[in-house]
Amino acid sequence: MSARKTKAIATKKRRALKIGLIILVLIIAIRLVLPYMILHYVNKSLASIHDYFGHVYDVDLSLYRGAYIVKDISINKVDSITRKQTPVFSCPHVDLSMEWRSL
């Protein structure tokens, strides 16, 4: 092999390694940010329900088993006149999962 071909192969290997590392870093970053995005979305959705107020304290994801855990969820009915909240649902721990074979 000539020096030119060897250099071209080395350059392609370095480029492939850099692209692979960038993709790996992006996947890790998305995985770290995803629970916070889901928590924000869930709390925003619960807050937009008319005459009800809901809040979730934390969301844990387990992507490998297709599950997530909702911690300290509470949903209250809000009286439209007095703005007093009456508890409707409260739970310290809800574990939800999907079965991959069913999908």
Side-chain angles (χ1 to χ4, degrees), residues 4-6 11-12 14 17-18 20 24 26-27 37 41 59 61 64 68 70 72 77 81 83 87 91 96 98-99:
R4 181 180 271 176
K5 285 185 180 181
T6 306
T11 303
K12 286 181 182 182
R14 271 189 261 126
L17 181 63
K18 284 181 185 180
L24 181 65
L26 285 174
I27 289 172
M37 292 173 56
Y41 175 77
V59 175
L61 296 176
Y64 179 72
Y68 58 97
V70 178
D72 294 328
K77 172 95 170 129
I81 298 171
R83 305 303 291 169
C91 187
L96 302 165
M98 298 183 306
E99 187 176 338

Side-chain angles (χ1 to χ4, degrees), residues 31-42 58-59 61:
R31 174 60 182 98
L32 291 174
V33 173
L34 193 60
Y36 300 106
M37 292 173 56
I38 291 173
L39 179 65
H40 176 72
Y41 175 77
V42 168
D58 191 21
V59 175
L61 296 176

Side-chain angles (χ1 to χ4, degrees), residues 18-62:
K18 284 181 185 180
I19 291 172
L21 286 174
I22 289 171
I23 290 172
L24 181 65
V25 168
L26 285 174
I27 289 172
I28 291 171
I30 289 170
R31 174 60 182 98
L32 291 174
V33 173
L34 193 60
Y36 300 106
M37 292 173 56
I38 291 173
L39 179 65
H40 176 72
Y41 175 77
V42 168
N43 281 328
K44 183 178 159 186
S45 297
L46 287 173
S48 68
I49 300 173
H50 185 65
D51 290 338
Y52 286 90
F53 174 78
H55 182 74
V56 172
Y57 178 73
D58 191 21
V59 175
D60 291 334
L61 296 176
S62 177

